[in-house]
């Protein structure tokens, strides 16, 4: 009935639009951060011709043999283990950022802010806290990755692969990691915008509840 229509109308409000943008940004952060731990890496050798590295780099590391192959495998595994905690932490944060706006959308659809206007002020506070915390989180994420790339493991790995003519093993941030940082900045700005929208909606709801006869 009319109640269901009013609930659906919430999805067309400015606050709901901001929250859906936050959902999209959080999903992209989750996907991009997962790239860092999406594969254990490791030297495959000629027997594993079906491995993704075979098709991406060609020859399944055919330039390696004997001790070089074993050393490449060890360096890949150590490099992967160095990046794994950072990637998992980024994925955990991305997952939390994905759940948070989904919960707020459900709260808005159920019209909780109308019956409890103070919820909008709580929502505003949460947005500001998350936006402020996003800045040091991004710093920690990028600083930790740069520490891994500046490690002796990464440098030796880069030199070993470069000596065999392989490209793409540079000790620098790759596209997905840079995208994670940029998406995090965009998410922080979206949270600040949502905080402003929540304050505006609080004023509107407060004014409307002061004039029930005009509704």
């Amino acid at each position: 009935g009319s109640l269901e229509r009013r609930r659906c109308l919430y999805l067309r409000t400015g606050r709901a639009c901001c929250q859906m943008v936050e959902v999209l940004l959080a999903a992209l952060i989750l996907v991009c951060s997962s790239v860092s731990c999406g594969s254990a890496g490791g030297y495959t050798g000629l027997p594993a011709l079906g491995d993704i590295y075979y098709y991406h780099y060609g020859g399944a590391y055919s330039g390696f043999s004997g001790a070089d192959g074993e050393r490449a495998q060890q360096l890949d595994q150590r490099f992967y283990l160095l990046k794994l905690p950072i990637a998992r932490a980024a994925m955990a944060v991305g997952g939390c950022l994905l759940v948070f706006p989904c919960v707020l959308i459900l709260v808005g659809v159920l019209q909780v802010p109308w019956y409890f206007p103070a919820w909008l002020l709580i929502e505003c506070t949460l947005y500001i806290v998350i936006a402020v915390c996003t800045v040091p989180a991004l710093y920690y994420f990028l600083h930790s990755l740069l520490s891994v790339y500046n490690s002796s493991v990464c440098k030796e790995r880069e030199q070993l692969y470069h000596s065999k003519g392989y490209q793409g093993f540079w000790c620098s941030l790759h596209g997905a990691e840079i995208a994670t940082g940029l998406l995090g900045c965009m998410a922080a700005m979206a949270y600040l915008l949502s905080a402003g929208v929540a304050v505006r909606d609080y004023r509107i709801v407060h004014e409307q509840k002061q004039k029930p006869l005009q509704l």
Side-chain angles (χ1 to χ4, degrees), residues 75-136:
L75 291 174
D76 276 346
Q77 292 174 348
R78 290 174 61 188
F79 181 68
Y80 167 73
L81 292 176
L82 287 176
K83 292 183 65 178
L84 183 59
I86 306 170
R88 284 182 173 176
M91 291 175 64
V93 172
C96 293
L97 295 179
L98 180 62
V99 172
F100 178 67
C102 291
V103 173
L104 294 183
I105 291 175
L106 178 62
V107 169
V109 170
L110 296 177
Q111 297 183 329
V112 173
W114 173 256
Y115 300 106
F116 184 57
W119 168 259
L120 291 170
L121 297 180
I122 298 174
E123 185 176 312
C124 174
T125 303
L126 292 174
Y127 273 128
I128 293 175
V129 170
I130 293 176
V132 172
C133 293
T134 299
V135 177

Side-chain angles (χ1 to χ4, degrees), residues 39-97:
S39 172
Y43 168 73
T44 59
L46 287 176
L49 297 182
D51 194 273
I52 187 172
Y53 286 102
Y54 177 82
Y55 300 104
H56 188 68
Y57 296 106
Y61 296 84
S62 57
F64 290 99
S65 60
D68 285 342
E70 295 178 358
R71 186 56 180 167
Q73 183 180 21
Q74 294 174 0
L75 291 174
D76 276 346
Q77 292 174 348
R78 290 174 61 188
F79 181 68
Y80 167 73
L81 292 176
L82 287 176
K83 292 183 65 178
L84 183 59
I86 306 170
R88 284 182 173 176
M91 291 175 64
V93 172
C96 293
L97 295 179

Side-chain angles (χ1 to χ4, degrees), residues 151-181:
S151 65
S152 58
V153 173
C154 183
K155 297 297 182 182
E156 183 179 354
R157 178 175 178 266
E158 179 184 16
Q159 293 176 359
L160 180 60
Y161 281 109
H162 185 68
S163 66
K164 301 298 181 180
Y166 291 105
Q167 304 297 322
F169 295 91
W170 312 116
C171 291
S172 59
L173 296 174
H174 59 67
E177 293 164 346
I178 296 174
T180 301

Side-chain angles (χ1 to χ4, degrees), residues 165-214:
Y166 291 105
Q167 304 297 322
F169 295 91
W170 312 116
C171 291
S172 59
L173 296 174
H174 59 67
E177 293 164 346
I178 296 174
T180 301
L182 294 176
L183 290 169
C185 294
M186 294 172 62
M189 293 186 288
Y191 299 144
L192 292 177
L193 177 60
S194 293
V197 173
V199 172
R200 182 204 65 182
D201 288 353
Y202 171 78
R203 292 175 179 174
I204 294 175
V205 172
H206 183 71
E207 292 176 358
Q208 289 181 346
K209 292 182 78 70
Q210 294 297 320
K211 301 176 183 180
L213 294 180
Q214 295 184 11

